[in-house]
């Protein structure tokens, strides 16, 4: 990731929360003789134990393609992002840009047993089903439990203790407050680049910075 100290996100709790809010991740490995391998899976922050870890699973044969557990991998988690038009700045000169939040998590995966993997799958289902009015939980019936226990063998669960991370949030922090206000308003307005999630993130960061300055 390009080194940009002004946009660096170094707060561990903030990165952990960003992963919670944006659970769709890209798993990248460099495998000798095969080169780069990438897969995409949902992840959860693992609150058990010390440090910062995430848990997930891959579908077979991805564990073999990645040589999962044999070497370090990178997990990329992206938050809100979107195009920012220079026309929103109301200043000149100006150029377009792309605002974004992203984290690169590095570590060597630890493979889980079938029982541990089943527990992670149960957590994943519960996490995503919980907001629904009638959650379809993994153990909602004996039949569904039996089905889950059969298909778990087609997946490989893992825990990734995060040894280090690089994270960045580029959210127009270098612009005057009035310009940021116009960008946020434009992102909330109907149109081709309407992006309330990005606008909300920019607002939250600005409010936090204002509190810290008081």
């Amino acid at each position: 990731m390009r080194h940009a100290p002004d946009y660096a996100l170094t707060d561990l709790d903030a990165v952990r929360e960003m992963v919670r809010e944006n659970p769709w991740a890209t798993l990248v490995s460099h495998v000798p003789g095969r080169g780069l391998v990438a897969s995409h899976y949902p992840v959860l922050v693992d609150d058990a134990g010390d440090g910062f870890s995430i848990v997930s699973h891959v579908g077979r044969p991805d564990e073999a393609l990645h040589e999962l557990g044999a070497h370090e991998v990178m997990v990329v988690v992206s938050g809100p992002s979107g195009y920012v038009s220079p026309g929103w700045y109301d200043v000149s000169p100006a150029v377009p840009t792309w605002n974004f939040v992203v984290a690169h998590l590095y570590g060597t995966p630890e493979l889980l047993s079938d029982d541990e993997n089943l527990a992670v799958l149960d957590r994943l289902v519960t996490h995503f089903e919980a907001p629904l009015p009638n959650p379809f939980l993994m153990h909602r019936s004996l039949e569904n439990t039996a089905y889950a226990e059969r298909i778990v063998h087609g997946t490989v669960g893992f825990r990734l203790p995060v040894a280090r991370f690089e994270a960045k949030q580029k959210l127009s922090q270098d612009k005057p407050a009035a310009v940021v206000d116009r960008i946020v308003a434009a992102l909330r307005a109907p149109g081709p680049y309407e992006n309330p999630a990005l606008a909300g993130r920019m607002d939250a960061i600005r409010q936090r910075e204002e509190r810290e300055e008081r």
Side-chain angles (χ1 to χ4, degrees), residues 81-95:
S81 71
Y83 179 74
V84 175
S85 168
W88 300 341
Y89 292 177
D90 199 24
V91 297
S92 184
V95 294

Side-chain angles (χ1 to χ4, degrees), residues 3 14 17-18 22 25 27 32 48 60 65-66 82 86 102 113 137 139 142 153 170 175 179 182 185 203-205 213:
H3 184 60
E17 189 61 28
M18 196 270 278
N22 303 276
L27 171 67
R60 296 182 186 276
L65 293 174
H66 284 273
V102 69
S113 68
L137 301 179
H139 297 295
L142 291 176
H153 302 294
K170 180 183 173 297
K175 298 292 185 291
V179 172
R182 286 193 287 272
D203 250 349
I205 295 302
E213 290 174 358

Side-chain angles (χ1 to χ4, degrees), residues 116-136:
E116 291 171 320
N117 184 24
L118 193 61
V120 168
L121 291 173
D122 190 20
R123 280 188 58 199
L124 280 163
V125 173
T126 300
H127 176 80
F128 293 109
E129 285 290 317
L132 298 176
N134 184 28
F136 199 103

Side-chain angles (χ1 to χ4, degrees), residues 9-21:
L9 180 58
T10 58
D11 182 80
L12 177 60
D13 289 337
V15 173
R16 190 185 281 115
E17 189 61 28
M18 196 270 278
V19 176
R20 283 195 179 99
E21 293 172 354

Side-chain angles (χ1 to χ4, degrees), residues 29-213:
S29 303
H30 184 270
V31 179
R34 187 177 293 132
L36 292 174
V37 179
S39 299
H40 311 273
Y41 291 95
V43 300
L44 293 177
V45 173
D46 186 14
D47 292 317
D50 299 325
F52 178 23
S53 297
I54 59 174
V55 290
S56 187
H57 68 280
V58 298
R60 296 182 186 276
D62 270 9
E63 87 289 355
L65 293 174
H66 284 273
E67 294 186 351
L68 209 62
H71 48 69
E72 186 178 66
V73 302
M74 176 175 69
V75 175
V76 181
V77 180
S78 297
S81 71
Y83 179 74
V84 175
S85 168
W88 300 341
Y89 292 177
D90 199 24
V91 297
S92 184
V95 294
T97 192
W98 197 277
N99 279 359
F100 63 90
V101 184
V102 69
H104 295 176
L105 314 178
Y106 300 88
T108 301
E110 301 169 350
L111 301 188
L112 303 180
S113 68
D114 278 350
D115 286 344
E116 291 171 320
N117 184 24
L118 193 61
V120 168
L121 291 173
D122 190 20
R123 280 188 58 199
L124 280 163
V125 173
T126 300
H127 176 80
F128 293 109
E129 285 290 317
L132 298 176
N134 184 28
F136 199 103
L137 301 179
M138 199 166 78
H139 297 295
R140 63 179 284 148
S141 67
L142 291 176
E143 180 184 29
N144 215 65
T145 294
Y147 178 67
E149 290 173 350
R150 288 198 304 274
I151 67 169
V152 70
H153 302 294
T155 69
V156 175
F158 68 88
R159 176 181 294 104
L160 179 74
V162 179
R164 69 186 195 284
F165 68 85
E166 295 177 297
K168 186 186 294 187
Q169 51 183 7
K170 180 183 173 297
L171 299 171
S172 301
Q173 298 99 316
D174 58 331
K175 298 292 185 291
V179 172
V180 175
D181 285 341
R182 286 193 287 272
I183 295 171
V184 169
L187 290 170
R188 287 192 167 129
Y193 297 113
E194 181 179 3
N195 194 330
L198 181 58
R201 182 75 179 196
M202 291 178 65
D203 250 349
I205 295 302
R206 179 175 53 179
Q207 291 169 14
R208 189 182 71 185
E209 290 176 347
E210 289 174 351
R211 287 195 301 269
E212 291 173 351
E213 290 174 358

